[in-house]
Amino acid sequence: MTDQLPSPTPATTLETEPFWEAAADGRFVLPRCNACDEVIWYPRLFCPSCGSNDVSWFEASGNGTVYSFTVVERGQGGWREHSPYVLAYIELAEGPRMLTNVIDVDPDTVAIDMPVTVRFDAGKDGGNIVRFGPAS
Amino acid sequence: MSIRGAVHIAGAYEHPGRHLPDLTVPQIHADVARGALADAGLSFSDVDAYYCAGDAPGFGGMSMADYLGLRCNEIDSTETGGSSYLVHIQHAAAAIAAGHANVALITLAGKPRTGGAAPGGSMRSSAPEGSFENLFGLNVVAGYALAAKRHMHEFGTTSEQLAEIKVAASTHAQHNPNAFLRDVVTVDEVLESPMIARPLHRLDSCVITDGGGAVVVVSDAVAATLERQTAKVLGTGVAIKHSTGGRPDLTFTGAAVSGPKAFAEAGVTPSDIDYASIYDSFTITVLITLEDLGFCKKGEGGQFVSNGGLLARGGKLPFNTDGGGLCNNHPANRGGMTKVIEAVRQLRGEAHAEVQVPDCKLVLAHGTGGTLATRMGSATVILGQEDA
Ligand SMILES: [Zn+2]
């Protein structure tokens, strides 16, 4: 069982500030291209699918399934003391696959295709990190 | 215009050291450059093009050209991690074929063993993806474990099959006096080694070594003046595979693009290849790459590597006969250069007698830089005898 994972205040840029500001308010937002409707991950104000810079944010469902995962037994740096922890690609209901952690779970029970929902993980370090946990 | 047959690898040199606390990184670049030029029968004053990647200190190519005293008409510091040096071969071939250069020097050097830098320490904080990856504890091993897990899920690949790759590498490494790890290991020993990121164990991972290597790529005209046996560059392919706006498919690598390009340019097929140097940052890297290059069908890599499929003696495809990155050497946490060097040894008949492929006429070297789970630079080079 993982304990509280490192949750530093994320480094933001002019492009990614809206994502983390929403997360701080407990909202999970995604960027979508207004030209081709593609939902984009990782967040950027550019559509790598069609080249448009007409991108806006919308509130996502927070639902997804595990596309792949690993239980990291020996993390590096500040993650060492938090091992084992689950690093996963979550396939969001909106389409993109997002790299994140699966928390609130026994790592031995995580499986590909497992349904998950978003968690806002307010760490002691001050961040409000977008992670996922088992769907209830 | 194709570069097929227009350029040749005339010199190749691997630093024999695996722990070099008393040399600077520029010194190691210089040592391997001298070694490769001497191997070709050339000197520093013959070099008119220079290639290096992110392991080169300072301003990269500009700093190293100054340090080495090179007079360059052509320079390239393309950085695609461990595959950089195979990309450089393609770029050098193009420059030579276009008449911009005649003698191209490519060098690699680094000291992660001495320096203790974590593998893949080049994950840069300024990268636009940075805060959406590093924030979640992604490290190099985990970035390959994610691909391994998905491959197991879709195709039934097993940890035992991955371990077979390490067993084959160690079987070859016992004959290499310079190899960092020379003990032959068993499947059980791989599975019993500490788990780093499920399903990858410590012995699924490459070694961390100091060292370096260099190759010299020359024109037809220069090759004709040399006494040393050269390797003809028959085909090259390069690809960047990335996360595709958040739709990564972890079951294949950039080799699925770079491989077919190289085979098409060379005019040969996978079944023609006598020996292959396959990038082996981790066992899973080898397995997926073999599928992508067409040595077996997608999903059948596990069967292909089983029962000694990669052994120099009796294998379907002799691979990494120097012991590869898994056992021999992974200088600067970058394995592409040593892949080319062992491929050249095989073509020249200069691999260790216990692992030399008889009548070796056509070889392939493949590099993979970056991380399977996110973005990678893939490069394939096919080399042949001069009458190929
Ligand atoms: Zn678009």
Side-chain angles (χ1 to χ4, degrees):
Chain A
M1 193 73 185
T2 48
D3 56 356
Q4 178 70 55
L5 296 178
S7 302
T9 302
T12 63
T13 70
L14 292 173
E15 290 184 80
T16 62
E17 247 167 26
F19 178 86
W20 292 112
E21 282 175 0
D25 292 342
R27 292 181 303 116
F28 178 43
V29 298
L30 292 171
R32 178 162 49 208
C33 174
N34 292 321
C36 77
D37 275 344
E38 182 91 341
V39 178
I40 300 159
W41 189 262
Y42 56 90
R44 71 201 86 168
L45 297 183
F46 177 82
C47 174
S49 185
C50 78
S52 170
N53 62 359
D54 183 7
V55 172
S56 46
W57 300 92
F58 72 101
E59 189 150 348
S61 67
N63 298 323
T65 57
V66 174
Y67 169 71
S68 192
F69 72 98
T70 176
V71 180
V72 182
E73 304 273 6
R74 289 165 188 246
Q76 294 171 0
W79 288 81
R80 185 177 300 267
E81 63 192 271
H82 297 281
S83 306
Y85 61 93
V86 180
L87 177 73
Y89 263 116
I90 302 303
E91 184 166 310
L92 303 172
E94 290 78 9
R97 292 169 180 159
M98 172 187 175
L99 200 64
T100 181
N101 302 114
V102 180
I103 58 171
D104 302 335
V105 68
D106 176 351
D108 290 337
T109 66
V110 176
I112 286 176
D113 295 335
M114 183 175 114
V116 292
T117 55
V118 72
R119 302 276 200 281
F120 297 96
D121 198 11
K124 59 179 178 347
D125 310 327
N128 211 16
I129 307 300
V130 178
R131 296 187 163 112
F132 285 73
S136 49
Chain B
M1 183 180 76
S2 164
I3 57 89
R4 188 188 194 285
V7 300
H8 313 258
I9 296 181
Y13 180 80
E14 178 185 7
H15 199 291
R18 302 292 179 265
H19 185 215
L20 304 168
D22 300 326
L23 293 177
T24 68
V25 170
Q27 274 182 299
I28 303 171
H29 276 279
D31 283 351
V32 296
R34 188 187 304 103
L37 288 164
D39 183 50
L42 294 166
S43 65
F44 282 101
S45 60
D46 294 313
V47 175
D48 58 6
Y50 178 63
Y51 300 76
C52 62
D55 54 279
F59 261 95
M62 209 156 55
S63 291
M64 287 310 305
D66 185 346
Y67 181 95
L68 296 169
L70 301 175
R71 290 185 299 278
C72 300
N73 308 317
E74 188 74 28
I75 194 157
D76 177 12
S77 304
T78 296
E79 166 63 356
T80 59
S83 61
S84 301
Y85 320 94
L86 290 95
V87 177
H88 295 160
I89 289 174
Q90 185 192 61
H91 293 182
I96 290 169
H100 296 155
N102 291 296
V103 176
L105 170 68
I106 310 172
T107 66
L108 153 78
K111 299 175 61 179
R113 179 119 220 117
T114 296
S122 57
M123 214 176 262
R124 293 164 189 190
S125 60
S126 61
E129 69 276 8
S131 65
F132 297 97
E133 295 179 0
N134 305 352
L135 195 59
F136 302 107
L138 174 66
N139 58 44
V140 176
V141 190
Y144 286 76
L146 286 163
K149 181 70 186 176
R150 186 70 198 184
H151 201 277
M152 289 177 165
H153 175 77
E154 291 202 24
F155 305 116
T157 305
T158 67
S159 290
E160 286 79 3
Q161 290 169 336
L162 292 179
E164 292 263 16
I165 296 165
K166 170 73 174 187
V167 170
S170 73
T171 302
H172 299 155
Q174 67 179 313
H175 303 297
N176 180 352
N178 294 326
F180 186 73
L181 300 175
R182 293 189 67 191
D183 292 339
V184 179
V185 300
T186 64
V187 167
D188 283 346
E189 284 171 327
V190 177
L191 301 185
E192 287 161 12
S193 67
M195 188 68 83
I196 307 298
R198 298 183 206 170
L200 297 180
H201 307 78
R202 175 168 291 156
L203 292 187
D204 286 299
S205 313
C206 59
V207 299
I208 297 174
T209 52
D210 298 346
V215 296
V216 179
V217 183
V218 303
S219 65
D220 257 338
V222 171
T225 68
L226 302 175
E227 290 180 11
R228 186 80 160 108
Q229 181 182 349
T230 56
K232 192 186 280 186
V233 179
L234 300 177
T236 64
V238 169
I240 301 295
K241 185 201 171 207
H242 52 63
S243 58
T244 330
R247 276 83 173 164
D249 180 339
L250 300 189
T251 61
F252 71 94
T253 73
V257 176
S258 70
K261 284 183 182 299
F263 280 115
E265 188 169 49
V268 301
T269 65
S271 62
D272 297 324
I273 299 294
D274 298 311
Y275 164 83
S277 284
I278 305 291
Y279 203 92
D280 55 348
S281 45
F282 298 91
T283 51
I284 186 64
T285 321
V286 176
L287 190 142
I288 300 183
T289 302
L290 288 168
E291 296 174 348
D292 293 338
L293 292 175
F295 289 110
C296 61
K297 287 185 188 152
K298 178 52 64 184
E300 295 182 359
Q303 295 162 46
F304 187 82
V305 304
S306 294
N307 304 311
L310 299 178
L311 288 174
R313 293 285 169 266
K316 294 187 280 287
L317 179 70
F319 105 121
N320 297 10
T321 41
D322 60 340
L326 289 169
C327 296
N328 170 33
N329 193 9
H330 202 234
N333 298 324
R334 291 153 172 264
M337 179 65 79
T338 46
K339 296 293 160 292
V340 177
I341 293 170
E342 182 67 3
V344 171
R345 287 193 196 106
Q346 281 285 354
L347 263 189
R348 286 171 163 172
E350 295 177 356
H352 190 282
E354 293 294 329
V355 295
Q356 175 65 47
V357 175
D359 201 25
C360 187
K361 287 186 154 50
L362 198 61
V363 302
L364 175 149
H366 181 81
T368 310
T371 301
L372 294 194
T374 56
R375 59 202 61 77
M376 72 192 80
S378 297
T380 312
V381 172
I382 296 173
L383 308 172
Q385 299 278 4
E386 285 304 327
D387 58 2

